[in-house]
Amino acid sequence: MYGMEQINTATGFANAKFGSSKGQGAKGFDEPEIRILELSKYVIKFELLNTDLSVANSLRRIIIAEVPTMAIDLVEVKENTSALHDEFIAHRLGLIPLQSFNVDQFNLSDQCACSSMCAQCSVQFKLHAVCSDRDQMEVNTRHIQPLSDAPIIPVQYVNDKGIEEDPILIMKLSKNQQLDMNLVARKGNGKIHAKWSPVATCQMRKEPIVEIDQDKINRDLDIEKRKEFVALCPREVFAFNDYRNAVEIENSDKCIQCIECLRFAQANNLERAVKIAEREDKFVFTVESTGVLTPEDIVSRALQILMRKLYELGTQMKKYGVNAD
């Protein structure tokens, strides 16, 4: 843990449309369309309509693994007298989210004209902490100081009220322990290492379809059975209307296809009283950013990458005489 060591830490658009505007797309779908359902500082929820599962899943994979960001990639250990190994600390440093709003200003290290590193492909930081006047000291992201004017700094999270949360804890030092490291951040994407992924989660699902036969459910079942039917759903898709003494669909979007309602209907000899299905041309995405980019920027960049890939695919197909239809 003593001496010099270098460690590589990797061992706004609403109702947006994209694609061709000429007629219908594959499988007779209309032009693909995006509708934003929810948007906050770190989360975006949107619908992707009129497209195929393969395209939707491609967008999901691009969001996770191909949107470029900045992350700490090299750690030069000058001194570490803490209880943690150099590699352990370097790994934690690599996973710290860095604001990457200006990531386009930087080159990938393997595509830069420099021989090792320069201001066009890297950002340097200093991490120095000494615990001298107390029994224990927390080392957090506020101890990471940039050595240049580049706008790449650790993410500082804020809550829903706009109040800053505590910085990310890196480690703790005991009395008379110190940490002295030089850090280098580089551009990359999640394909190379997960530390470059801009999202914490990216969930995609088909929009559920829930239908009930009102006559069978509310005529053939007594009131207690109707309430039992409603209570059986773990996601509260159904509700019981006390005024009408009837079962109603409260929120079909919450359905997770657990088919408990189907089993209940079959057990009570109610054939085709409940229908559970999924739309084949509509997908609901929930994307949670790590804070390195805004969630809408992540989706916008992913769409640009997807369209670039599709354009290149079409170009190559035409080159070799393959019919794209």
Side-chain angles (χ1 to χ4, degrees):
M1 279 191 235
Y2 299 90
M4 193 78 73
E5 184 178 359
Q6 287 191 344
I7 301 171
N8 190 300
T9 65
T11 328
F13 60 101
N15 297 326
K17 296 184 178 182
F18 64 96
S20 173
S21 60
K22 297 180 180 179
Q24 294 182 326
K27 298 186 179 180
F29 293 144
D30 293 329
E31 183 180 354
E33 183 178 351
I34 283 180
R35 295 176 184 167
I36 295 179
L37 304 177
E38 299 175 15
L39 179 61
S40 63
K41 185 173 180 62
Y42 300 114
V43 179
I44 184 172
K45 184 177 181 181
F46 65 92
E47 294 176 337
L48 177 61
L49 299 88
N50 306 325
T51 192
D52 187 69
L53 175 62
S54 60
V55 176
N57 192 49
S58 297
L59 178 61
R60 181 189 67 85
R61 292 171 65 92
I62 291 171
I63 288 173
I64 294 173
E66 296 191 45
V67 175
T69 64
M70 300 292 289
I72 294 172
D73 192 43
L74 188 67
V75 177
E76 184 180 54
V77 183
K78 300 179 70 175
E79 186 162 11
N80 173 24
T81 58
S82 72
L84 300 181
H85 292 288
D86 298 340
E87 292 82 4
F88 187 89
I89 300 172
H91 181 263
R92 290 183 61 81
L93 291 170
L95 295 176
I96 293 174
L98 301 180
Q99 288 184 0
S100 303
F101 305 125
N102 300 89
V103 66
D104 293 334
Q105 297 179 4
F106 297 91
N107 302 320
L108 292 169
S109 57
D110 59 348
Q111 298 177 3
C112 190
C114 67
S115 58
S116 177
M117 66 180 71
C118 66
Q120 279 70 49
C121 66
S122 62
V123 180
Q124 298 189 39
F125 300 89
K126 180 74 173 179
L127 172 59
H128 182 66
V130 181
C131 181
S132 57
D133 58 350
R134 67 193 85 169
D135 292 333
Q136 192 177 75
M137 170 186 175
E138 290 188 352
V139 180
N140 55 50
T141 49
R142 287 179 180 159
H143 290 91
I144 299 177
Q145 300 298 321
L147 299 180
S148 65
D149 296 330
I152 306 296
I153 57 174
V155 173
Q156 178 61 57
Y157 294 103
V158 296
N159 60 24
D160 296 336
K161 297 180 180 179
I163 302 174
E164 283 193 359
E165 297 182 352
D166 294 334
I168 299 172
L169 177 65
I170 300 172
M171 60 178 299
K172 294 182 179 181
L173 294 177
S174 296
K175 191 170 184 178
N176 297 326
Q177 291 181 345
Q178 67 172 311
L179 201 63
D180 190 4
M181 296 180 170
N182 294 326
L183 318 176
V184 178
R186 290 171 174 159
K187 181 178 180 179
N189 59 46
K191 272 187 173 182
I192 304 171
H193 191 279
K195 67 186 178 184
W196 277 295
S197 178
V199 297
T201 59
C202 179
Q203 176 192 3
M204 180 199 77
R205 59 184 176 85
K206 294 180 180 179
E207 184 182 66
I209 299 173
V210 180
E211 298 176 0
I212 60 174
D213 189 321
Q214 293 282 353
D215 291 336
K216 291 183 178 180
I217 295 292
N218 295 316
R219 180 191 63 197
D220 298 345
L221 294 178
D222 58 37
I223 293 179
E224 292 304 318
K225 282 287 186 180
R226 295 173 206 168
K227 291 183 178 180
E228 182 181 349
F229 174 82
V230 171
L232 198 64
C233 179
R235 298 288 292 174
E236 300 180 350
V237 172
F238 307 102
F240 184 78
N241 189 317
D242 293 316
Y243 179 76
R244 296 178 55 241
N245 287 328
V247 176
E248 298 176 345
I249 298 175
E250 179 78 5
N251 191 345
S252 61
D253 189 56
K254 290 184 177 180
C255 180
I256 56 174
Q257 311 286 316
C258 70
I259 69 172
E260 287 295 328
C261 52
L262 291 178
R263 293 194 183 101
F264 181 88
Q266 292 172 358
N268 288 271
N269 299 317
L270 298 177
E271 296 295 329
R272 299 181 180 178
V274 182
K275 176 185 176 182
I276 303 293
E278 294 177 324
R279 284 189 58 173
E280 296 296 327
D281 64 339
K282 188 173 182 180
F283 306 88
V284 181
F285 282 75
T286 303
V287 180
E288 181 181 352
S289 169
T290 60
V292 296
L293 296 168
T294 62
E296 62 269 29
D297 191 20
I298 294 172
V299 178
S300 178
R301 289 171 180 269
L303 286 171
Q304 292 173 15
I305 294 171
L306 177 58
M307 288 189 287
R308 190 162 60 244
K309 285 174 174 282
L310 292 174
Y311 176 80
E312 180 63 24
L313 176 62
T315 301
Q316 293 299 318
M317 291 176 70
K318 290 179 180 179
K319 178 179 177 181
Y320 293 100
V322 178
N323 188 351
D325 296 331

